Amino acid sequence: MIKLILDGEKIKSEAELHKTIGEQIPLPTYYGNNLAALNDVLSANTQDMEIYLLNQELLVKHLNQGAQGLLRLLHDLALHNCNITLKDGIIK
């Protein structure tokens, strides 16, 4: 099981978001550090993955308009990829 933890207390920019993701899951060398690239990587995921959104209100504050795109992308992935589960709050 892969656990991807996105903590709004620690992620204060889109660059930090993609750096955090790259530290937790393997990304291809050509990863574009944007939401389209993230969508491509996570859409192709075949392993069980839990994505935790911690301090979501701070994530929204720090990423501004980019947060809405990220949240929409993660919710859509969880709906359409049975291997991905989106979780709020406490890590189990």
Side-chain angles (χ1 to χ4, degrees), residues 5-68:
I5 302 165
L6 304 177
D7 187 348
E9 217 171 66
K10 298 176 182 174
I11 298 169
K12 297 190 168 117
S13 68
E14 191 170 331
E16 285 182 6
L17 169 70
H18 294 287
K19 180 179 181 240
T20 298
I21 292 167
E23 290 169 346
Q24 296 180 58
I25 63 172
L27 296 173
T29 56
Y30 55 84
Y31 181 73
N33 292 311
N34 58 54
L35 293 182
L38 180 60
N39 183 58
D40 291 345
V41 167
L42 294 181
S43 293
N45 177 59
T46 58
Q47 293 181 283
D48 288 337
M49 177 184 287
E50 292 179 341
I51 302 174
Y52 290 86
L53 293 173
L54 306 179
N55 300 300
Q56 186 172 333
E57 65 286 344
L58 289 174
L59 191 63
V60 169
K61 178 182 174 185
H62 294 149
L63 297 181
N64 297 314
Q65 293 178 359
Q68 296 309 317

